[in-house]
Amino acid sequence: MRHPTLLRWIGLALLTAMATALLQLLDVDAAALFAGLVVAAVLAIAGVAPRATADNPDPPVIPRPLFLASQGVLGVFIGTMADPDTLAGLGSAWLPVLVVGLGTLALSVVGGMLLGLHKQVDTLTGALALVAGGASGLVALTRELGGDERMVAVIQYVRVALVTITIPLIATMVFHASADGVVVASPSAGDQGWGLLLLAVCIGIGLPLGRLIHLPAAGLLGPMAIATIIELTGIGGDAAVSGILLGLAYAVIGWQAGLGFTLDRLRAIGRVLPFAIVLILGIGVGCALLGVLLSAWTGESMFDCYLATTPGGIYAVLAAATAAGGNVAFVVAAQILRVLLMLFVAPFAARWVARRATPL
Protein backbone atom coordinates (compact mmCIF):
# COMPACT_ATOMS: atom_id res chain seq x y z
CA MET A 1 0.00 0.00 0.00
CA ARG A 2 1.44 3.38 -0.98
CA HIS A 3 1.98 6.13 1.59
CA PRO A 4 -0.78 8.48 0.31
CA THR A 5 -3.32 5.67 0.59
CA LEU A 6 -2.07 4.75 4.06
CA LEU A 7 -2.42 8.39 5.14
CA ARG A 8 -5.97 8.43 3.83
CA TRP A 9 -6.85 5.35 5.87
CA ILE A 10 -5.30 6.94 8.96
CA GLY A 11 -7.25 10.14 8.30
CA LEU A 12 -10.48 8.16 7.88
CA ALA A 13 -9.85 6.36 11.17
CA LEU A 14 -9.00 9.52 13.11
CA LEU A 15 -11.96 11.50 11.78
CA THR A 16 -14.27 8.57 12.53
CA ALA A 17 -12.96 8.36 16.09
CA MET A 18 -13.56 12.08 16.65
CA ALA A 19 -17.02 11.96 15.11
CA THR A 20 -17.86 8.91 17.21
CA ALA A 21 -16.87 10.69 20.43
CA LEU A 22 -19.09 13.64 19.49
CA LEU A 23 -22.08 11.44 18.65
CA GLN A 24 -21.67 9.48 21.88
CA LEU A 25 -22.01 12.75 23.79
CA LEU A 26 -25.35 13.16 21.98
CA ASP A 27 -26.40 9.59 22.91
CA VAL A 28 -26.67 8.48 19.26
CA ASP A 29 -27.29 4.72 18.92
CA ALA A 30 -24.41 2.81 17.28
CA ALA A 31 -22.46 6.07 17.13
CA ALA A 32 -19.37 4.54 15.48
CA LEU A 33 -21.42 3.11 12.61
CA PHE A 34 -23.12 6.42 11.91
CA ALA A 35 -19.82 8.29 12.25
CA GLY A 36 -18.02 5.86 9.93
CA LEU A 37 -20.83 6.13 7.39
CA VAL A 38 -20.90 9.93 7.34
CA VAL A 39 -17.11 10.46 7.43
CA ALA A 40 -16.46 7.87 4.71
CA ALA A 41 -19.27 9.29 2.55
CA VAL A 42 -17.96 12.86 2.86
CA LEU A 43 -14.41 11.78 2.00
CA ALA A 44 -15.64 9.64 -0.91
CA ILE A 45 -17.71 12.46 -2.40
CA ALA A 46 -14.80 14.89 -1.92
CA GLY A 47 -12.50 12.47 -3.75
CA VAL A 48 -10.10 12.02 -0.83
CA ALA A 49 -11.27 8.63 0.44
CA PRO A 50 -8.73 5.77 0.63
CA ARG A 51 -8.05 4.04 -2.68
CA ALA A 52 -6.63 0.64 -3.46
CA THR A 53 -3.93 2.26 -5.64
CA ALA A 54 -3.11 5.77 -6.73
CA ASP A 55 -4.16 4.86 -10.29
CA ASN A 56 -7.53 3.42 -9.27
CA PRO A 57 -10.16 6.09 -8.60
CA ASP A 58 -12.71 3.59 -7.29
CA PRO A 59 -13.06 3.27 -3.51
CA PRO A 60 -11.92 -0.10 -2.20
CA VAL A 61 -14.22 -2.69 -0.76
CA ILE A 62 -13.36 -3.43 2.86
CA PRO A 63 -11.40 -6.74 2.88
CA ARG A 64 -13.99 -9.49 3.13
CA PRO A 65 -12.45 -11.26 6.17
CA LEU A 66 -12.51 -7.96 8.09
CA PHE A 67 -16.10 -7.26 7.06
CA LEU A 68 -17.22 -10.77 8.00
CA ALA A 69 -15.48 -10.44 11.37
CA SER A 70 -17.28 -7.14 11.95
CA GLN A 71 -20.61 -8.72 11.04
CA GLY A 72 -19.85 -11.56 13.44
CA VAL A 73 -19.05 -9.21 16.33
CA LEU A 74 -22.30 -7.32 15.75
CA GLY A 75 -24.27 -10.56 15.44
CA VAL A 76 -22.92 -11.89 18.74
CA PHE A 77 -23.64 -8.58 20.47
CA ILE A 78 -27.26 -8.65 19.29
CA GLY A 79 -27.56 -12.31 20.29
CA THR A 80 -26.47 -11.53 23.85
CA MET A 81 -29.47 -9.21 24.17
CA ALA A 82 -31.66 -12.33 24.44
CA ASP A 83 -31.07 -12.50 28.18
CA PRO A 84 -33.55 -14.95 29.80
CA ASP A 85 -34.01 -12.73 32.85
CA THR A 86 -34.85 -9.76 30.63
CA LEU A 87 -37.24 -11.68 28.38
CA ALA A 88 -38.91 -13.08 31.49
CA GLY A 89 -40.28 -9.56 31.94
CA LEU A 90 -42.90 -10.46 29.34
CA GLY A 91 -44.42 -13.05 31.66
CA SER A 92 -47.61 -14.47 30.16
CA ALA A 93 -47.73 -11.62 27.62
CA TRP A 94 -45.15 -13.23 25.32
CA LEU A 95 -47.77 -14.33 22.78
CA PRO A 96 -49.43 -10.91 22.38
CA VAL A 97 -46.01 -9.28 22.11
CA LEU A 98 -44.95 -11.81 19.47
CA VAL A 99 -48.14 -11.25 17.48
CA VAL A 100 -47.69 -7.48 17.66
CA GLY A 101 -44.06 -7.92 16.61
CA LEU A 102 -45.18 -9.85 13.54
CA GLY A 103 -47.67 -7.06 12.87
CA THR A 104 -44.82 -4.56 12.99
CA LEU A 105 -42.89 -6.69 10.51
CA ALA A 106 -45.91 -6.78 8.21
CA LEU A 107 -46.18 -2.98 8.35
CA SER A 108 -42.49 -2.74 7.51
CA VAL A 109 -42.82 -5.09 4.55
CA VAL A 110 -45.82 -3.21 3.15
CA GLY A 111 -43.98 0.08 3.60
CA GLY A 112 -40.93 -1.40 1.90
CA MET A 113 -43.02 -2.57 -1.05
CA LEU A 114 -44.43 0.95 -1.42
CA LEU A 115 -40.93 2.46 -1.20
CA GLY A 116 -39.83 -0.02 -3.87
CA LEU A 117 -42.29 1.62 -6.25
CA HIS A 118 -40.00 4.67 -6.35
CA LYS A 119 -37.86 4.58 -9.49
CA GLN A 120 -34.68 5.15 -7.46
CA VAL A 121 -35.26 2.15 -5.16
CA ASP A 122 -35.37 -1.57 -5.92
CA THR A 123 -37.88 -3.68 -3.98
CA LEU A 124 -35.29 -5.54 -1.88
CA THR A 125 -33.63 -2.30 -0.78
CA GLY A 126 -37.00 -0.75 -0.01
CA ALA A 127 -38.02 -3.69 2.16
CA LEU A 128 -34.78 -3.62 4.15
CA ALA A 129 -34.73 0.18 4.46
CA LEU A 130 -38.06 0.28 6.30
CA VAL A 131 -37.68 -2.74 8.60
CA ALA A 132 -38.58 -1.37 12.03
CA GLY A 133 -35.67 -2.58 14.11
CA GLY A 134 -31.99 -3.46 14.20
CA ALA A 135 -30.70 -0.62 12.00
CA SER A 136 -27.03 -1.54 12.44
CA GLY A 137 -27.67 -5.20 11.70
CA LEU A 138 -29.69 -4.38 8.60
CA VAL A 139 -26.93 -2.16 7.21
CA ALA A 140 -24.45 -4.98 7.85
CA LEU A 141 -26.44 -7.61 5.95
CA THR A 142 -27.82 -5.55 3.04
CA ARG A 143 -24.78 -6.04 0.77
CA GLU A 144 -24.93 -9.81 1.35
CA LEU A 145 -28.56 -9.85 0.20
CA GLY A 146 -27.86 -7.75 -2.90
CA GLY A 147 -29.44 -4.48 -1.76
CA ASP A 148 -28.11 -0.91 -1.77
CA GLU A 149 -26.53 -0.50 1.67
CA ARG A 150 -26.12 3.26 1.18
CA MET A 151 -29.86 3.76 0.74
CA VAL A 152 -30.65 1.38 3.61
CA ALA A 153 -28.15 3.08 5.95
CA VAL A 154 -29.49 6.59 5.37
CA ILE A 155 -33.18 5.67 5.63
CA GLN A 156 -32.64 3.44 8.66
CA TYR A 157 -30.86 6.20 10.55
CA VAL A 158 -33.52 8.72 9.56
CA ARG A 159 -36.03 6.26 11.04
CA VAL A 160 -34.06 5.94 14.28
CA ALA A 161 -33.69 9.72 14.51
CA LEU A 162 -37.39 10.37 13.94
CA VAL A 163 -38.46 7.76 16.49
CA THR A 164 -35.94 8.96 19.08
CA ILE A 165 -37.08 12.58 18.67
CA THR A 166 -40.80 11.80 18.83
CA ILE A 167 -40.70 9.51 21.92
CA PRO A 168 -40.08 12.29 24.48
CA LEU A 169 -42.50 14.61 22.66
CA ILE A 170 -45.34 12.06 22.70
CA ALA A 171 -44.47 11.01 26.26
CA THR A 172 -44.82 14.61 27.43
CA MET A 173 -47.67 15.87 25.24
CA VAL A 174 -49.90 12.78 25.12
CA PHE A 175 -49.10 10.83 28.28
CA HIS A 176 -47.77 13.74 30.43
CA ALA A 177 -44.72 11.64 31.36
CA SER A 178 -41.05 12.58 31.62
CA ALA A 179 -38.33 11.09 29.39
CA ASP A 180 -35.05 11.96 31.05
CA GLY A 181 -31.74 10.32 30.13
CA VAL A 182 -30.72 6.93 31.44
CA VAL A 183 -27.27 5.57 32.13
CA VAL A 184 -26.50 2.16 30.64
CA ALA A 185 -24.00 0.14 32.66
CA SER A 186 -20.85 -1.04 30.89
CA PRO A 187 -19.81 -4.71 31.16
CA SER A 188 -16.90 -5.52 33.46
CA ALA A 189 -13.43 -6.45 32.21
CA GLY A 190 -13.98 -10.05 33.29
CA ASP A 191 -17.26 -10.29 31.37
CA GLN A 192 -15.50 -8.87 28.29
CA GLY A 193 -12.72 -11.45 28.66
CA TRP A 194 -15.28 -14.25 28.51
CA GLY A 195 -16.84 -12.33 25.64
CA LEU A 196 -13.73 -12.96 23.52
CA LEU A 197 -14.25 -16.70 23.96
CA LEU A 198 -17.92 -16.28 23.15
CA LEU A 199 -17.01 -14.40 19.96
CA ALA A 200 -14.60 -17.12 18.89
CA VAL A 201 -17.16 -19.88 19.47
CA CYS A 202 -20.11 -18.10 17.88
CA ILE A 203 -18.23 -16.89 14.79
CA GLY A 204 -16.26 -20.12 14.44
CA ILE A 205 -19.43 -22.21 14.50
CA GLY A 206 -22.09 -19.81 13.26
CA LEU A 207 -20.40 -18.60 10.07
CA PRO A 208 -19.63 -22.01 8.50
CA LEU A 209 -22.93 -23.44 9.73
CA GLY A 210 -24.84 -20.50 8.26
CA ARG A 211 -23.11 -21.02 4.93
CA LEU A 212 -23.79 -24.74 5.06
CA ILE A 213 -27.53 -24.24 5.45
CA HIS A 214 -27.54 -21.30 2.98
CA LEU A 215 -28.59 -18.78 5.63
CA PRO A 216 -28.93 -15.27 4.12
CA ALA A 217 -26.19 -12.94 5.40
CA ALA A 218 -24.55 -15.85 7.21
CA GLY A 219 -21.77 -13.62 8.52
CA LEU A 220 -24.27 -11.80 10.74
CA LEU A 221 -27.16 -14.20 11.27
CA GLY A 222 -25.05 -17.35 11.86
CA PRO A 223 -23.10 -15.98 14.87
CA MET A 224 -26.23 -14.17 16.04
CA ALA A 225 -28.21 -17.42 16.10
CA ILE A 226 -25.50 -19.29 18.03
CA ALA A 227 -25.13 -16.39 20.51
CA THR A 228 -28.88 -16.27 21.04
CA ILE A 229 -29.00 -20.00 21.79
CA ILE A 230 -26.05 -19.75 24.18
CA GLU A 231 -27.63 -16.78 25.94
CA LEU A 232 -31.08 -18.35 26.27
CA THR A 233 -29.63 -21.59 27.66
CA GLY A 234 -27.48 -19.70 30.16
CA ILE A 235 -24.25 -21.29 28.94
CA GLY A 236 -22.66 -17.91 28.24
CA GLY A 237 -23.15 -16.62 31.76
CA ASP A 238 -22.25 -12.92 31.98
CA ALA A 239 -20.01 -12.92 28.87
CA ALA A 240 -20.23 -9.60 27.05
CA VAL A 241 -18.82 -8.20 23.82
CA SER A 242 -16.06 -5.64 24.37
CA GLY A 243 -17.21 -2.11 23.73
CA ILE A 244 -13.98 -1.40 21.85
CA LEU A 245 -14.45 -4.38 19.51
CA LEU A 246 -18.09 -3.46 18.97
CA GLY A 247 -17.12 0.13 18.14
CA LEU A 248 -14.52 -1.07 15.63
CA ALA A 249 -17.07 -3.40 14.05
CA TYR A 250 -19.58 -0.57 13.77
CA ALA A 251 -16.96 1.67 12.15
CA VAL A 252 -15.99 -0.96 9.55
CA ILE A 253 -19.65 -1.56 8.64
CA GLY A 254 -20.16 2.20 8.33
CA TRP A 255 -17.08 2.56 6.13
CA GLN A 256 -18.27 -0.24 3.85
CA ALA A 257 -21.45 1.69 3.12
CA GLY A 258 -19.93 5.19 3.17
CA LEU A 259 -17.01 4.56 0.81
CA GLY A 260 -19.43 3.67 -1.96
CA PHE A 261 -21.14 7.07 -1.94
CA THR A 262 -21.06 9.31 -4.98
CA LEU A 263 -22.61 12.71 -5.53
CA ASP A 264 -25.14 11.19 -7.95
CA ARG A 265 -26.12 8.53 -5.41
CA LEU A 266 -26.47 11.15 -2.69
CA ARG A 267 -28.81 13.16 -4.92
CA ALA A 268 -30.84 10.02 -5.64
CA ILE A 269 -31.19 9.30 -1.91
CA GLY A 270 -32.24 12.92 -1.37
CA ARG A 271 -35.04 12.45 -3.90
CA VAL A 272 -36.22 9.30 -2.09
CA LEU A 273 -36.10 10.69 1.46
CA PRO A 274 -39.38 12.70 1.45
CA PHE A 275 -41.33 9.60 0.38
CA ALA A 276 -39.42 7.45 2.86
CA ILE A 277 -40.14 9.87 5.73
CA VAL A 278 -43.87 9.75 4.98
CA LEU A 279 -43.74 5.94 5.08
CA ILE A 280 -41.70 5.95 8.31
CA LEU A 281 -44.30 8.19 9.95
CA GLY A 282 -47.05 5.92 8.65
CA ILE A 283 -45.34 2.87 10.13
CA GLY A 284 -44.97 4.77 13.40
CA VAL A 285 -48.71 5.48 13.52
CA GLY A 286 -49.42 1.83 12.69
CA CYS A 287 -47.16 0.69 15.52
CA ALA A 288 -48.95 3.04 17.93
CA LEU A 289 -52.25 1.42 16.97
CA LEU A 290 -50.66 -1.97 17.61
CA GLY A 291 -49.76 -0.60 21.04
CA VAL A 292 -53.45 0.10 21.68
CA LEU A 293 -54.22 -3.51 20.73
CA LEU A 294 -51.42 -4.77 22.98
CA SER A 295 -52.75 -2.76 25.93
CA ALA A 296 -56.26 -4.14 25.48
CA TRP A 297 -54.88 -7.70 25.15
CA THR A 298 -52.46 -7.66 28.08
CA GLY A 299 -53.92 -5.09 30.48
CA GLU A 300 -50.63 -3.16 30.55
CA SER A 301 -50.88 0.64 30.53
CA MET A 302 -51.32 2.44 27.24
CA PHE A 303 -48.04 4.29 27.77
CA ASP A 304 -46.04 1.13 28.42
CA CYS A 305 -47.53 -0.52 25.34
CA TYR A 306 -46.78 2.55 23.22
CA LEU A 307 -43.15 2.32 24.34
CA ALA A 308 -43.11 -1.45 23.79
CA THR A 309 -44.22 -1.08 20.17
CA THR A 310 -42.24 1.98 19.03
CA PRO A 311 -40.34 1.02 15.84
CA GLY A 312 -36.87 1.78 17.20
CA GLY A 313 -35.01 4.03 19.64
CA ILE A 314 -34.54 1.42 22.37
CA TYR A 315 -32.46 3.71 24.61
CA ALA A 316 -34.99 6.52 24.34
CA VAL A 317 -37.68 3.97 25.17
CA LEU A 318 -35.74 2.79 28.23
CA ALA A 319 -35.26 6.38 29.39
CA ALA A 320 -38.97 7.19 29.05
CA ALA A 321 -40.10 4.00 30.80
CA THR A 322 -37.65 4.51 33.67
CA ALA A 323 -38.45 8.21 34.18
CA ALA A 324 -42.21 7.58 34.14
CA GLY A 325 -42.00 4.65 36.58
CA GLY A 326 -43.50 2.28 34.03
CA ASN A 327 -43.14 -1.46 33.65
CA VAL A 328 -39.53 -1.29 32.47
CA ALA A 329 -39.05 -5.07 32.37
CA PHE A 330 -42.06 -5.50 30.06
CA VAL A 331 -41.08 -2.62 27.77
CA VAL A 332 -37.44 -3.63 27.39
CA ALA A 333 -38.27 -7.32 26.88
CA ALA A 334 -40.80 -6.42 24.16
CA GLN A 335 -38.28 -4.16 22.42
CA ILE A 336 -35.53 -6.80 22.47
CA LEU A 337 -37.93 -9.44 21.13
CA ARG A 338 -38.86 -7.00 18.33
CA VAL A 339 -35.22 -6.44 17.34
CA LEU A 340 -34.44 -10.18 17.33
CA LEU A 341 -37.59 -10.93 15.36
CA MET A 342 -36.83 -8.24 12.78
CA LEU A 343 -33.25 -9.37 12.20
CA PHE A 344 -34.04 -13.07 12.04
CA VAL A 345 -37.15 -12.82 9.85
CA ALA A 346 -36.62 -9.63 7.82
CA PRO A 347 -33.96 -11.05 5.43
CA PHE A 348 -36.29 -13.88 4.43
CA ALA A 349 -39.27 -11.53 4.13
CA ALA A 350 -37.27 -9.04 2.05
CA ARG A 351 -36.13 -11.77 -0.34
CA TRP A 352 -39.69 -13.04 -0.66
CA VAL A 353 -40.96 -9.55 -1.45
CA ALA A 354 -38.20 -9.04 -4.03
CA ARG A 355 -38.99 -12.33 -5.77
CA ARG A 356 -42.71 -11.54 -5.83
CA ALA A 357 -41.98 -8.14 -7.38
CA THR A 358 -39.63 -9.53 -10.04
CA PRO A 359 -41.35 -10.31 -13.36
CA LEU A 360 -41.02 -13.92 -14.49
Side-chain angles (χ1 to χ4, degrees):
M1 184 178 291
R2 298 182 181 182
H3 292 300
T5 302
L6 176 60
L7 291 175
R8 290 186 178 197
W9 278 112
I10 293 173
L12 174 61
L14 290 176
L15 289 172
T16 300
M18 290 188 289
T20 299
L22 176 61
L23 293 175
Q24 286 175 336
L25 291 176
L26 301 174
D27 294 326
V28 175
D29 292 347
L33 192 154
F34 189 53
L37 170 71
V38 172
V39 170
V42 170
L43 295 181
I45 292 171
V48 293
R51 297 173 182 173
T53 67
D55 300 325
N56 182 7
D58 295 327
V61 174
I62 298 294
R64 185 163 178 77
L66 178 59
F67 188 62
L68 285 175
S70 300
Q71 285 185 313
V73 170
L74 179 56
V76 174
F77 171 72
I78 295 171
T80 58
M81 295 171 63
D83 180 74
D85 293 334
T86 302
L87 294 179
L90 292 176
S92 60
W94 67 268
L95 180 58
V97 171
L98 180 61
V99 171
V100 166
L102 291 173
T104 302
L105 178 62
L107 286 174
S108 301
V109 169
V110 171
M113 292 175 68
L114 292 174
L115 185 61
L117 296 176
H118 196 288
K119 63 181 181 180
Q120 299 286 350
V121 187
D122 63 88
T123 306
L124 177 65
T125 297
L128 293 172
L130 287 181
V131 170
S136 55
L138 290 163
V139 175
L141 60 76
T142 296
R143 173 179 287 255
E144 302 290 324
L145 296 175
D148 184 346
E149 60 196 348
R150 299 162 296 182
M151 184 77 70
V152 170
V154 171
I155 294 176
Q156 279 290 334
Y157 273 92
V158 168
R159 173 185 64 81
V160 171
L162 286 174
V163 172
T164 302
I165 290 169
T166 56
I167 285 174
L169 292 176
I170 293 176
T172 303
M173 298 173 64
V174 178
F175 298 100
H176 309 291
S178 174
D180 297 327
V182 63
V183 177
V184 180
S186 300
S188 67
D191 294 343
Q192 293 184 40
W194 282 110
L196 292 175
L197 178 60
L198 180 67
L199 282 172
V201 171
C202 293
I203 296 175
I205 297 175
L207 178 56
L209 181 61
R211 286 173 169 172
L212 181 65
I213 64 175
H214 302 293
L215 191 68
L220 178 84
L221 296 186
M224 179 177 160
I226 300 299
T228 301
I229 293 170
I230 290 176
E231 190 70 25
L232 289 175
T233 55
I235 298 174
D238 295 325
V241 176
S242 162
I244 294 175
L245 283 179
L246 181 61
L248 291 173
Y250 277 145
V252 169
I253 292 167
W255 290 345
Q256 177 69 71
L259 288 173
F261 265 88
T262 62
L263 193 55
D264 287 343
R265 197 58 194 151
L266 185 63
R267 288 171 178 156
I269 293 173
R271 289 191 288 270
V272 172
L273 270 183
F275 186 34
I277 289 173
V278 170
L279 292 173
I280 290 169
L281 294 175
I283 291 172
V285 172
C287 288
L289 294 176
L290 288 175
V292 174
L293 172 63
L294 184 62
S295 178
W297 195 346
T298 63
E300 296 288 342
S301 73
M302 197 75 75
F303 182 55
D304 285 341
C305 289
Y306 158 70
L307 294 176
T309 56
T310 56
I314 190 167
Y315 291 117
V317 165
L318 178 57
T322 302
N327 189 344
V328 178
F330 171 79
V331 171
V332 173
Q335 283 287 337
I336 289 175
L337 183 61
R338 174 185 61 83
V339 171
L340 294 172
L341 180 65
M342 294 297 139
L343 287 177
F344 274 123
V345 180
F348 298 96
R351 277 188 165 180
W352 179 81
V353 168
R355 283 197 299 267
R356 297 278 294 182
T358 302
L360 298 176

